[in-house]
Amino acid sequence: MKNTKILAEEITSQGFKERLEEIYVDTGVIAYQTERYQKAIEKFEELYGEQEAELYSAPGRSEVGGNHTDHQHGEVLAASINLDAIAVVCKTEENVIKLLSDGYPMITVDLKDLGMRRGEMGTSAGLIRGMVYGLKKNGHTVGGFSAYVTSDVLNGAGMSSSAAFEVLVGTIFSGLYNDMKISPVEIAQVAQFAENVYFGKPCGLMDQMACSVGGLIHIDFADPENPVVEKVNVDFSSYHHSLCITDTKGSHADLTDDYALIPQEMKKVAQFFEKEFLREVDPEEFYKKISNIREACGDRPVLRALHFFEEDKRVEREVSALNAGDFQGFLDTVKESGNSSFKYLQNIYTNKDVQNQSVSMGLAVSDSILPGHGVSRVHGGGFAGTIQAFVADDFVETYRQMLDGVYGEGCCHVLKVRPFGGIRV
């Protein structure tokens, strides 16, 4: 812990600049991040006064491979990105958490009552209470703190702003009360619990795991209670490529059924084999019995199951290519993944409104200009939202201008893969 005045002074020092470069990777954002941290400390002092405090950070995430596989206990490749939620935090003697997120009202959570509350469903207070309950249940020390939080992880853009917030809270408890000894995997698991039970949103574990562990990670969810997490050590900058995420401005309204039908239809195929999840089904048996499955389940469930089986293989190929230094092989497989999502998973637009195809449009424009310069694919859940592209650095500005020209200024975000998950800065 350091006095907030000292923290503010250190932020302008060379040592802190080097730390920011480690975290955010891109030297072009260091001035912005320096000012951001300074303003966060100023706001903290306005709320709670000058005192001893610490800085914490948790990133957003980008799914790189494994589109709609985690809910079937499949494999994914995911990366933390250099957009994050940061917190200025002080420990308090009160058994209460006071947290103000930029642009929102103050949240107060009394730690004497950690039961799930219906009225907190869908709220940040619910996430905080769920995180505290989960960590305490696992035997960790919890206690009060006061915090100011600000985030540049885009809401509703497939970067997992809620997971970043959950991981931030978990990392604060790890740092303030547990000597930073709560593992990133456990923080992710508790975060998933909080979102499922206290927030009321069913989700897999990929988002929380990518935000918590950090870097580029290969996760195998064959046993969701004990996921196998493998760091993939690759420096994208050495291949002179950047990660671009473009918000295609499609509305997520009325898409709940579209999202829900993907796991439902995949599970329908699994149930044909008297299994609960597709990961439990033998792919060879699936291909042998496609005719029977079509008759019992219909064609789209078969196509979506086919996507799952091949996507799991693609994740392994992507990891192998990166480990071997075959960046072009990695790019080719990312493109295959995108094609499979469009043709077989069919999560690019909703059949309820075929005249609005914002994701299709972004992919079409990308396909027309990226050959020789990179690849693109749908990002995240699909139907609306964002597309992802790996773009050669010398073409990034051309790509950004083209996509901004279609969707509006600031829609294409040029990002870097961040090497850290939830951290004490």
Side-chain angles (χ1 to χ4, degrees):
M1 290 256 182
K2 292 183 178 179
N3 182 277
T4 46
K5 295 298 183 193
I6 294 174
L7 279 176
E9 289 173 4
E10 287 186 351
I11 283 172
T12 60
S13 70
Q14 182 62 31
F16 199 82
K17 179 184 176 185
E18 291 172 359
R19 178 61 169 158
L20 292 179
E21 289 175 354
E22 286 178 351
I23 296 170
Y24 297 101
V25 184
D26 185 356
T27 56
V29 304
I30 300 308
Y32 157 74
Q33 292 295 349
T34 299
E35 182 180 6
R36 181 177 175 232
Y37 276 84
Q38 287 174 323
K39 287 183 176 178
I41 292 172
E42 289 171 9
K43 185 64 179 180
F44 174 89
E45 288 185 332
E46 288 176 17
L47 293 168
Y48 310 112
E50 177 187 339
Q51 58 182 293
E52 300 287 298
E54 292 181 336
L55 304 173
Y56 290 85
S57 161
R61 73 97 181 102
S62 178
E63 168 206 290
V64 177
N67 197 212
H68 279 285
T69 56
D70 61 329
H71 51 67
Q72 296 304 302
H73 297 183
E75 300 183 46
V76 301
L77 184 61
S80 56
I81 58 176
N82 61 342
L83 297 177
D84 65 346
I86 62 171
V88 187
V89 187
C90 68
K91 201 172 184 177
T92 63
E93 296 302 318
E94 287 184 279
N95 209 23
V96 171
I97 291 171
K98 293 181 179 178
L99 184 149
L100 186 139
S101 285
D102 186 31
Y104 296 91
M106 176 72 76
I107 299 168
T108 302
V109 176
D110 190 333
L111 303 189
K112 292 193 292 289
D113 177 14
L114 297 179
M116 193 262 289
R117 297 183 178 185
R118 292 286 174 192
E120 287 182 349
M121 287 283 192
T123 70
S124 296
L127 290 176
I128 295 170
R129 200 179 302 274
M131 290 298 299
V132 182
Y133 175 86
L135 291 170
K136 187 176 181 179
K137 180 174 177 288
N138 286 1
H140 300 295
T141 303
V142 298
F145 64 78
S146 297
Y148 172 72
V149 173
T150 182
S151 177
D152 57 12
V153 183
L154 305 173
N155 284 318
M159 297 177 188
S160 297
S161 55
S162 60
F165 179 78
E166 295 151 15
V167 168
L168 182 68
V169 171
T171 306
I172 289 169
F173 278 114
S174 183
L176 289 184
Y177 290 100
N178 298 275
D179 299 318
M180 288 301 288
K181 291 180 179 177
I182 306 177
S183 77
V185 170
E186 184 179 354
I187 289 174
Q189 290 170 326
V190 173
Q192 183 198 22
F193 162 81
E195 187 152 343
N196 287 173
V197 178
Y198 279 67
F199 190 81
K201 178 184 176 183
C203 66
L205 187 57
M206 178 184 68
D207 294 353
Q208 291 81 3
M209 196 72 80
C211 294
S212 189
V213 175
L216 186 67
I217 56 172
H218 173 210
I219 315 170
D220 189 336
F221 290 113
D223 177 4
E225 296 299 315
N226 299 284
V228 178
V229 182
E230 170 197 7
K231 279 252 189 182
V232 183
N233 294 314
V234 59
D235 178 8
F236 280 102
S237 64
S238 69
Y239 295 106
H240 309 293
H241 277 68
S242 292
L243 171 64
C244 297
I245 303 292
T246 300
D247 182 359
T248 68
K249 299 299 184 181
S251 172
H252 287 85
D254 302 321
L255 292 176
T256 301
D257 290 346
D258 292 285
Y259 292 123
L261 279 170
I262 293 178
Q264 286 175 21
E265 291 183 357
M266 287 183 176
K267 285 188 174 185
K268 196 174 180 181
V269 175
Q271 288 161 4
F272 176 89
F273 292 94
E274 299 182 345
K275 305 292 185 183
E276 188 175 358
F277 301 100
L278 280 178
R279 185 63 181 274
E280 300 166 349
V281 175
D282 181 350
E284 289 188 14
E285 285 299 303
F286 165 78
Y287 283 107
K288 285 178 184 176
K289 296 183 178 179
I290 281 181
S291 178
N292 305 89
I293 307 169
R294 288 182 67 194
E295 187 175 340
C297 303
D299 282 352
R300 192 169 68 175
V302 174
L303 291 168
R304 285 176 163 169
L306 186 151
H307 165 82
F308 169 84
F309 290 122
E310 298 304 320
E311 188 75 350
D312 250 14
K313 295 177 189 175
R314 278 188 287 268
V315 169
E316 294 183 355
R317 295 210 313 272
E318 287 173 349
V319 172
S320 295
L322 289 172
N323 284 334
D326 179 11
F327 195 70
Q328 187 57 51
F330 163 75
L331 293 179
D332 291 343
T333 311
V334 169
K335 189 62 183 172
E336 287 179 29
S337 172
N339 288 339
S340 180
S341 291
F342 210 139
K343 293 192 293 186
Y344 309 129
L345 183 61
Q346 298 179 19
N347 67 331
I348 307 302
Y349 61 90
T350 174
N351 291 326
K352 293 180 289 190
D353 187 7
V354 296
Q355 295 306 318
N356 286 309
Q357 296 194 33
S358 60
V359 173
S360 307
M361 188 62 64
L363 294 172
V365 171
S366 297
D367 281 350
S368 70
I369 64 173
L370 277 181
H373 303 288
V375 297
S376 67
R377 48 156 280 188
V378 65
H379 183 243
F383 298 110
T386 56
I387 64 169
Q388 173 192 85
F390 287 95
V391 184
D393 289 339
D394 60 5
F395 196 73
V396 160
E397 187 56 25
T398 300
Y399 182 75
R400 186 193 65 76
Q401 289 180 9
M402 178 67 77
L403 273 294
D404 277 0
V406 175
Y407 297 107
E409 189 70 26
C411 287
C412 180
H413 303 272
V414 181
L415 306 174
K416 300 292 184 182
V417 175
R418 155 177 161 151
F420 304 105
I423 56 170
R424 181 163 54 193
V425 176

